[in-house]
Amino acid sequence: MEKMIRLSYFIDSKKTIWVIKMDRELSFERKISFEPLLISIFFGSVVAIIVYTIFPMVPIFALIIGILVFGIDNLVIFPRSLEKFYDYWSIDKTGIYYSDYDTWSKQLLAIFLPMSRQLKRIPFEQIKSFAIVDGENIMNTQVPDGGKLNNPLARKTHYLIISTVNKKVCLHCAWTSDNLPVSADELKRLISFLNSKM
C-alpha cells in the first residue's frame, strides 16, 4: 500500500523527470507485525527444550521456564524496543500518521494485536514547529529545538522532531518503509513538503 512506484521519463540526454506514485506521500521505518510475538514463542520454546534436555524428569519445570521466558520477552524486552525497530510513520496531505507507543498497554496491544493498531494522526494545524536532527546538527532553520541525540553505531540516523500544542514527537528517518536507507534528496523532499504545509 505504501510502496513507491518510480517511473522515469527522459526529456533529453541531460534531464530526467521522475514521476512518483504512492498512496502516502512519504513513509518511513518498519510497520509492527507478528514478528515480535513469533520471536518470543520461538525463544521460549528453545529455552524450554534446552531445560527439558537438562532435566528430563521434570517436564513441568521446563514448561514453566519456557512460559516465563516468553512472558519476559513480551512484557519487558519488546515493549522497550518497539520505537527503535517498529517506528513506522507516514506523511500525506492530511497530516502525519505515526505509531503511538506512549503507554505500556499500547505497546502490549501492538505486540499481541499488531493488525488492529491504528496510526495516530497529527494534523498540520496542530504542528507548531519541526526540526530534522542527525544527532548533532539541525538540518532546517525553523525553531531548532531538537537538541543533541545519540549517534548510532552503524550509520547516521535522522529524526523528525514535531512540536505540537501538547507534546513533542520524535520520529526516526533512517529507513524508508521499503527498508532502503533514506537519502539526502528524500530528506529535502520531506522538509520541503512540511514547509509547504506550515
Side-chain angles (χ1 to χ4, degrees):
M1 184 176 175
E2 290 81 19
K3 286 190 177 177
M4 184 184 298
I5 301 169
R6 190 170 279 182
L7 306 170
S8 65
Y9 295 91
F10 292 90
I11 297 176
D12 55 32
S13 60
K14 294 183 179 178
K15 294 182 179 179
T16 305
I17 294 177
W18 293 95
V19 178
I20 299 176
K21 179 186 177 183
M22 60 185 90
D23 293 328
R24 297 221 184 264
E25 291 294 332
L26 291 167
S27 57
F28 300 89
E29 303 300 325
R30 294 173 63 192
K31 275 188 176 180
I32 186 70
S33 64
F34 283 106
E35 187 178 50
L37 187 61
L38 294 175
I39 289 172
S40 298
I41 292 170
F42 174 77
F43 191 57
S45 301
V46 167
V47 170
I49 290 168
I50 291 171
V51 172
Y52 179 72
T53 56
I54 297 170
F55 305 103
M57 302 301 290
V58 194
I60 191 74
F61 179 66
L63 181 64
I64 290 170
I65 295 296
I67 292 171
L68 188 63
V69 168
F70 170 80
I72 290 172
D73 216 14
N74 277 312
L75 303 178
V76 179
I77 297 172
F78 271 121
R80 293 184 176 193
S81 60
L82 284 180
E83 285 186 356
K84 185 175 181 181
F85 296 109
Y86 302 99
D87 193 26
Y88 175 83
W89 66 277
S90 62
I91 181 170
D92 67 11
K93 293 176 182 178
T94 61
I96 296 172
Y97 297 81
Y98 71 100
S99 303
D100 182 16
Y101 301 123
D102 283 351
T103 63
W104 188 61
S105 60
K106 289 179 182 177
Q107 294 165 358
L108 291 185
L109 186 65
I111 292 169
F112 288 99
L113 296 169
M115 299 310 168
S116 67
R117 295 257 318 147
Q118 296 292 323
L119 295 175
K120 192 166 183 180
R121 178 175 168 257
I122 304 176
F124 291 112
E125 306 84 59
Q126 292 182 10
I127 298 175
K128 294 194 325 188
S129 64
F130 73 90
I132 300 280
V133 182
D134 68 3
E136 293 177 348
N137 304 312
I138 305 295
M139 293 180 63
N140 63 304
T141 57
Q142 184 181 16
V143 192
D145 57 0
K148 186 171 180 178
L149 300 171
N150 292 329
N151 285 318
L153 297 175
R155 61 184 301 275
K156 183 177 279 189
T157 299
H158 296 94
Y159 303 87
L160 170 64
I161 299 177
I162 301 288
S163 295
T164 66
V165 178
N166 301 322
K167 63 178 180 177
K168 286 185 182 179
V169 179
C170 182
L171 304 170
H172 297 248
C173 301
W175 304 92
T176 66
S177 57
D178 296 326
N179 290 324
L180 298 171
V182 174
S183 66
D185 288 338
E186 285 166 319
L187 286 174
K188 287 175 185 174
R189 187 176 168 210
L190 173 63
I191 293 169
S192 175
F193 186 83
L194 281 166
N195 281 326
S196 70
K197 294 294 180 182
M198 296 294 285

